[in-house]
Amino acid sequence: MSEAVEYDVVVLGGGPAGENIVDRTRAAGLSTALVESELVGGECSYWACVPSKALLRPALARADARRVPGLAGAVQGPLDTAAVLAHRNYWTGDWKDQGQIDWIDSIGAHVYRGHGRLYGVRKVAVTSPEGEHHILSARHAVVVATGTRAVIPDLPGIAGARPWTSREATSAQEAPGRLLIVGGSVVAAEMATAWQALGSQVTVLARGSGLLPRMEPFAGELVADALREAGAVVRTGVSVEAVVRDGSTGPVSVVLEGGETLEGDELLMATGRAPRTEDIGLDTVGLPAGRWIDVDDTCRVPGHDWLYAVGDVNHRVLLTHQGKYQARIAGAVIAARAAGTPLDTAPWGAHTPTADTRALPQAVFTDPEAAAVGLTLAEAERAGHRVRAVDYDMSKVSGAGLYADGYTGRARMIVDLDREVLLGVTFVGPGAAEMIHAATIAVAGEVPIQRLWHAVPSFPTISEVWLRLLETYRG
Amino acid sequence: MSEAVEYDVVVLGGGPAGENIVDRTRAAGLSTALVESELVGGECSYWACVPSKALLRPALARADARRVPGLAGAVQGPLDTAAVLAHRNYWTGDWKDQGQIDWIDSIGAHVYRGHGRLYGVRKVAVTSPEGEHHILSARHAVVVATGTRAVIPDLPGIAGARPWTSREATSAQEAPGRLLIVGGSVVAAEMATAWQALGSQVTVLARGSGLLPRMEPFAGELVADALREAGAVVRTGVSVEAVVRDGSTGPVSVVLEGGETLEGDELLMATGRAPRTEDIGLDTVGLPAGRWIDVDDTCRVPGHDWLYAVGDVNHRVLLTHQGKYQARIAGAVIAARAAGTPLDTAPWGAHTPTADTRALPQAVFTDPEAAAVGLTLAEAERAGHRVRAVDYDMSKVSGAGLYADGYTGRARMIVDLDREVLLGVTFVGPGAAEMIHAATIAVAGEVPIQRLWHAVPSFPTISEVWLRLLETYRG
């Protein structure tokens, strides 16, 4: 191996979280190296958020158009699936990352392509695809941002069944005739929405009692109802016991508990995520391999004052935007510590990702969209808050009815009765994905209910649901 | 005339503002009478917000769909204009108000149909369409909520030209072949968008230098560009000097300064609003007829401790949602004064409509949508604030590009550099109408910039423009 090359900061993993660390540490004038074994841009850019939204947007736009008198007649036919897939390919850069590399170059950071592993304290070893080795040493910080990979349960027959994960589901170049989806969370719900609209006959097999289990129960119910109305089969409370696939191109079957067998052309296993920490040298610094990396409230690993973990891999939140948020904050932390300036780690301070626990937003691009921020009713009650859940049927909002004939949606806000602020908000309905940011500002801003009365929704928008929620709370 | 019938509160005018006064005073247990000379529900329900949005939504949904690969091909054709107009008729209840009357009945208020006039202190005289007379007396308050009517300038030839106002433009039962629109504000821009999409050849003739003069200049520019792209003619800085129409069904012409003549099949004069106060008995209490009614910060008329004015007629703001807001507050004021309980008229208190001046939102349903809250840059500078305008090209937001191929839009936030809060925000682009409520909460909530960093926009939404604005401000 060559001499160690020294940087202020070395980042392992070039997804959105890693890229934001690079951005912030470079802005602070710290020399920074980024190590990436696949594509700079990460899962989000190539096999998750971006291609999934490119597949979903046409489905949602068609659903919206079908609810508009005077336009509905024109959009009863199928989507042009080839055009949608080609557009999705465009958005992934055909799975090439030159644009991201150019950006990294432009801010003066250095990219090492290859597999990176911790190599003792403050050191990272990189093995390039060509077999070259580099040792990088970090004056101030090594940041692990290696993210997650899909987990496929070890079912009988699964090995030979070549199941899809989120990667194949977002990058497939044609619509399967029949798509079986095992799982009930966001990946399952979104990919069911997309592929059913793109021509597949989708069957969703969820083990839990409903879809979208991290959200208020009505979110999964409304999404399941709509998937069924779109022609998909949605079954909850079912357990897949085995998978069967004969040959290389034939159909695939799943065997349910009880023996029922369902056949499809492809099988998507949307069954969770695991940290990509198996082979990144954690053992060389005394940390267990293959596990989530615990961090403190500055995203630093306790006991290792030079080691940070941001994004999925620290298991605080498995969402791109929140990994970026952590990275912005951890980048500022690293820069402050390097400069010897004090940190503000009080709640909502500049150096701690308070929103991870208190104002976490998520948007699910199903039809209807489901979006939420902060705590659900159950979470708030478990946390010991004295709360009231305030519900409103969004179809009764004039702006909703004018937006879509037969608008279906529901809103809930969780009021902290002691402080009269919002702990959480959920919107389910067309348009919810963009509507949730208002709630994110209200929750993160801890804007008192009394002041929210002065935040007047424009008439006639769907956002007038805010007024209805306040009126319902007032009683 | 009969004996006076006594109520706690008498409301003149049953539009949204009047209805909200009724709602709030009834909730406080005050007996309330509502006098309405046309339709309960007012301009908004029959000749403004509601029918205009019903006409616009199909235009905007088609524009959205045309920007989505895989769907665009299906929506190149014209809208089904008859279906759109029929749906608009449905939303206006075919210009019948029984639903609203039922609601008023259900909350125990009394409706007097007819023309109401102040009849001295605390008294209102009503003349019903059948010629019956009633005298209503108000123990606590008379509230004027008579709204506005369209103003048509006294041009040569205008009397015989039967021009449209906003009423005809929102209630027409067929699309004119060629529609001339004089004006450049919201009514002009929205009706141009609607009728151009519904099959008319629209020409907009604005006297000012751009459309939407109350907003940041780029709003009108982007809307004008899009109207032109949709096939409309938009001319600014032009002055109409005369109007010519011969016969009852023939075309109508406008003569511009300089002599140029333009011909259309209908002519919409979108040239402003005047208060409906000419014939409501203001003279009987010493107030001038035909003028806007000045009010204090509780919406009460100075010198008349029993008289209030809410909504358009007090000229604070000419927007439905803000009239409703004033009415909720004035209703609470009247109830508190009736009960002898103290008022909270400090800024953002429960008894003063602070948002009228500090967090006023507006959404314009053009394509692109234009929405704003609070102060523009020019307004903030005129008010003496030390500010910085932060701009961002919304087409560069991933969520915008994924929402619409070729997304065009722009965002601006006005930062108060002394307090590090937002004084105003403008979004122009598809989706802006629902996005603005986040800004309304930020401005009304006076959420500090430092806290807004913890309000994380979900990826990939258009709302991620918030992150870009913050990053741009940080520099």
Side-chain angles (χ1 to χ4, degrees):
Chain A
M1 282 202 189
S2 54
E3 283 280 287
V5 188
E6 192 168 62
Y7 294 90
D8 290 320
V9 178
V10 177
V11 182
L12 261 187
E19 289 184 312
N20 272 268
I21 289 283
V22 172
D23 176 65
R24 292 293 81 212
T25 55
R26 285 300 301 137
L30 301 174
S31 63
T32 304
L34 176 68
V35 184
E36 170 57 49
S37 61
E38 294 189 275
L39 295 172
V40 175
E43 207 75 11
C44 168
S45 299
Y46 306 101
W47 302 290
C49 331
V50 169
S52 72
K53 181 73 187 293
L55 295 176
L56 284 160
R57 173 62 188 145
L60 272 53
R62 187 180 61 164
D64 271 2
R66 284 179 171 175
R67 300 186 190 105
V68 174
L71 182 63
V75 291
Q76 292 307 312
L79 289 170
D80 178 345
T81 299
V84 174
L85 297 179
H87 188 245
R88 185 270 327 269
N89 294 353
Y90 164 81
W91 270 92
T92 62
D94 283 313
W95 293 271
K96 294 187 184 72
D97 64 0
Q98 194 55 50
Q100 311 267 351
I101 296 285
D102 292 345
W103 171 74
I104 299 272
D105 287 347
S106 76
I107 62 169
H110 196 107
V111 175
Y112 289 85
R113 287 195 181 275
H115 192 109
R117 294 176 184 84
L118 290 171
Y119 190 68
V121 172
R122 295 173 193 274
K123 284 203 169 52
V124 169
V126 184
T127 306
S128 80
E130 298 78 24
E132 289 173 19
H133 297 283
H134 300 277
I135 301 291
L136 314 180
S137 90
R139 271 181 218 100
H140 295 298
V142 174
V143 184
V144 179
T146 49
T148 53
R149 57 174 177 75
V151 170
I152 298 181
D154 188 22
L155 297 170
I158 194 79
R162 301 181 314 282
W164 281 8
T165 67
S166 49
R167 285 201 169 197
E168 291 77 16
T170 52
S171 62
Q173 294 298 334
E174 57 183 283
R178 297 163 301 169
L179 176 62
L180 301 173
I181 300 179
V182 175
S185 57
V186 176
V187 171
E190 287 193 343
M191 289 299 97
T193 302
W195 289 109
Q196 182 70 29
L198 290 166
S200 301
Q201 171 59 55
V202 170
T203 299
V204 179
L205 302 167
R207 197 164 51 180
S209 59
L211 304 185
L212 304 178
R214 311 283 296 259
M215 289 192 165
E216 298 282 5
F218 63 82
E221 290 162 18
L222 288 170
V223 169
D225 289 350
L227 278 170
R228 290 185 182 113
E229 203 172 321
V233 174
V234 179
R235 295 173 61 173
T236 56
V238 293
S239 183
V240 173
E241 306 269 284
V243 180
V244 181
R245 186 169 221 162
D246 295 326
S248 63
T249 57
V252 58
S253 296
V254 297
V255 183
L256 305 185
E257 191 179 32
E260 185 185 355
T261 296
L262 299 171
E263 189 179 274
D265 297 295
E266 295 294 352
L267 167 65
L268 164 60
M269 297 297 288
T271 42
R273 312 288 301 175
R276 289 166 56 130
T277 57
E278 301 91 342
D279 186 22
I280 59 166
L282 286 171
D283 54 309
T284 71
V285 296
L287 292 167
R291 305 268 280 276
W292 305 100
I293 301 177
D294 283 337
V295 294
D296 66 17
D297 278 349
T298 66
C299 295
R300 188 163 68 171
V301 179
H304 303 265
D305 67 3
W306 55 277
L307 184 61
Y308 294 75
V310 297
D312 285 14
V313 78
N314 68 23
H315 209 214
R316 287 174 67 99
V317 180
L318 272 62
L319 291 168
T320 287
H321 47 268
Q322 216 67 12
K324 289 160 62 177
Y325 165 74
Q326 291 171 14
R328 290 191 293 272
I329 286 171
V333 166
I334 291 165
R337 284 181 174 142
T341 54
L343 300 185
D344 176 6
T345 58
W348 308 112
H351 298 109
T352 187
T354 308
D356 283 358
T357 51
R358 290 175 61 178
L360 176 66
Q362 180 165 23
V364 184
F365 294 93
T366 42
D367 173 46
E369 292 173 341
V373 62
L375 305 183
T376 62
L377 174 60
E379 288 168 344
E381 287 178 338
R382 267 201 305 275
H385 294 287
R386 200 170 67 86
V387 296
R388 188 177 141 204
V390 181
D391 287 3
Y392 198 79
D393 175 352
M394 288 170 68
S395 73
K396 293 184 179 166
V397 177
S398 296
L402 285 160
Y403 184 86
D405 213 26
Y407 189 101
T408 302
R410 187 164 160 198
R412 168 173 285 182
M413 69 178 187
I414 308 297
V415 180
D416 179 333
L417 295 174
D418 293 319
R419 299 169 62 216
E420 289 249 308
V421 296
L422 303 185
L423 297 177
V425 176
T426 300
F427 294 130
V428 182
E434 296 298 341
M435 288 172 64
I436 202 62
H437 196 59
T440 304
I441 290 178
V443 173
E446 301 179 293
V447 180
I449 293 271
Q450 199 276 331
R451 185 65 69 89
L452 287 174
W453 277 102
H454 292 280
V456 181
S458 293
F459 186 83
T461 60
I462 310 172
S463 297
E464 207 179 37
V465 70
W466 279 93
L467 174 59
R468 302 304 172 210
L469 286 167
L470 292 171
E471 289 174 339
T472 305
Y473 177 65
R474 180 187 61 195
Chain B
M1 284 202 187
S2 54
E3 285 280 289
V5 187
E6 192 169 63
Y7 293 90
D8 291 321
V9 179
V10 177
V11 183
L12 261 185
E19 289 184 312
N20 272 267
I21 289 282
V22 172
D23 177 66
R24 292 294 80 210
T25 54
R26 284 300 301 137
L30 300 175
S31 64
T32 304
L34 176 68
V35 183
E36 171 56 50
S37 61
E38 295 188 274
L39 294 172
V40 175
E43 207 74 11
C44 168
S45 299
Y46 306 101
W47 302 289
C49 331
V50 169
S52 70
K53 182 73 187 293
L55 295 176
L56 284 161
R57 173 62 189 146
L60 272 54
R62 188 179 60 164
D64 271 2
R66 284 179 172 175
R67 300 186 190 107
V68 174
L71 182 61
V75 291
Q76 292 307 313
L79 289 169
D80 178 345
T81 299
V84 174
L85 297 180
H87 188 244
R88 185 272 324 269
N89 294 352
Y90 163 81
W91 270 93
T92 61
D94 282 314
W95 292 273
K96 294 186 184 72
D97 63 0
Q98 192 57 48
Q100 311 266 351
I101 297 283
D102 292 346
W103 171 74
I104 299 272
D105 286 347
S106 76
I107 63 169
H110 195 107
V111 175
Y112 289 84
R113 287 194 180 275
H115 190 108
R117 294 176 183 86
L118 291 172
Y119 190 69
V121 172
R122 294 173 193 274
K123 285 201 169 56
V124 169
V126 184
T127 306
S128 79
E130 298 79 23
E132 288 172 20
H133 299 282
H134 300 276
I135 302 291
L136 314 180
S137 89
R139 270 181 220 100
H140 296 298
V142 174
V143 184
V144 179
T146 49
T148 53
R149 57 175 176 76
V151 169
I152 299 182
D154 188 23
L155 296 172
I158 195 80
R162 300 180 317 281
W164 281 7
T165 67
S166 49
R167 286 202 168 195
E168 290 76 18
T170 52
S171 62
Q173 294 297 333
E174 58 184 282
R178 298 163 300 169
L179 176 62
L180 301 173
I181 300 179
V182 175
S185 57
V186 177
V187 170
E190 287 193 342
M191 290 299 95
T193 302
W195 290 110
Q196 183 69 30
L198 291 166
S200 301
Q201 170 59 53
V202 169
T203 299
V204 179
L205 302 167
R207 197 164 51 180
S209 60
L211 305 184
L212 304 178
R214 310 284 294 260
M215 289 191 165
E216 298 284 4
F218 62 82
E221 290 163 17
L222 289 170
V223 169
D225 288 349
L227 278 171
R228 291 186 182 111
E229 202 172 320
V233 173
V234 178
R235 294 173 62 172
T236 56
V238 293
S239 183
V240 174
E241 306 269 283
V243 179
V244 181
R245 185 168 222 163
D246 295 324
S248 61
T249 57
V252 59
S253 296
V254 296
V255 183
L256 305 184
E257 190 179 32
E260 186 186 355
T261 297
L262 300 171
E263 188 179 276
D265 297 296
E266 296 292 352
L267 166 65
L268 164 59
M269 297 298 289
T271 42
R273 312 286 302 176
R276 289 164 57 129
T277 56
E278 301 91 341
D279 186 22
I280 59 167
L282 286 171
D283 54 309
T284 71
V285 296
L287 291 167
R291 305 269 280 276
W292 305 100
I293 301 177
D294 283 336
V295 294
D296 66 18
D297 278 348
T298 65
C299 294
R300 188 163 66 171
V301 180
H304 302 265
D305 67 3
W306 54 276
L307 184 62
Y308 294 76
V310 297
D312 284 12
V313 78
N314 67 24
H315 209 215
R316 287 173 67 98
V317 180
L318 272 62
L319 291 168
T320 287
H321 47 269
Q322 215 67 12
K324 289 161 62 177
Y325 165 75
Q326 291 171 14
R328 290 191 293 272
I329 287 171
V333 166
I334 292 165
R337 285 182 173 140
T341 55
L343 298 185
D344 177 4
T345 58
W348 309 112
H351 298 110
T352 187
T354 308
D356 283 357
T357 51
R358 291 175 60 179
L360 177 65
Q362 180 164 22
V364 184
F365 294 94
T366 42
D367 173 46
E369 292 172 341
V373 63
L375 304 183
T376 62
L377 174 60
E379 288 168 344
E381 287 178 339
R382 266 201 305 275
H385 295 285
R386 201 170 65 87
V387 296
R388 190 178 140 204
V390 181
D391 287 3
Y392 198 79
D393 175 351
M394 288 171 69
S395 73
K396 294 185 180 165
V397 176
S398 296
L402 285 161
Y403 183 86
D405 213 26
Y407 189 101
T408 302
R410 186 163 161 199
R412 167 173 286 183
M413 69 179 186
I414 307 297
V415 179
D416 178 334
L417 296 173
D418 294 317
R419 298 168 63 217
E420 289 250 307
V421 296
L422 304 184
L423 296 178
V425 176
T426 301
F427 294 130
V428 182
E434 296 299 341
M435 288 173 64
I436 202 63
H437 196 58
T440 304
I441 290 178
V443 173
E446 300 179 294
V447 180
I449 293 273
Q450 198 278 330
R451 184 65 69 89
L452 287 174
W453 277 102
H454 292 279
V456 181
S458 294
F459 186 83
T461 59
I462 310 171
S463 297
E464 206 178 37
V465 69
W466 279 92
L467 174 59
R468 303 304 172 210
L469 286 167
L470 292 172
E471 288 174 339
T472 304
Y473 176 64
R474 180 186 61 196

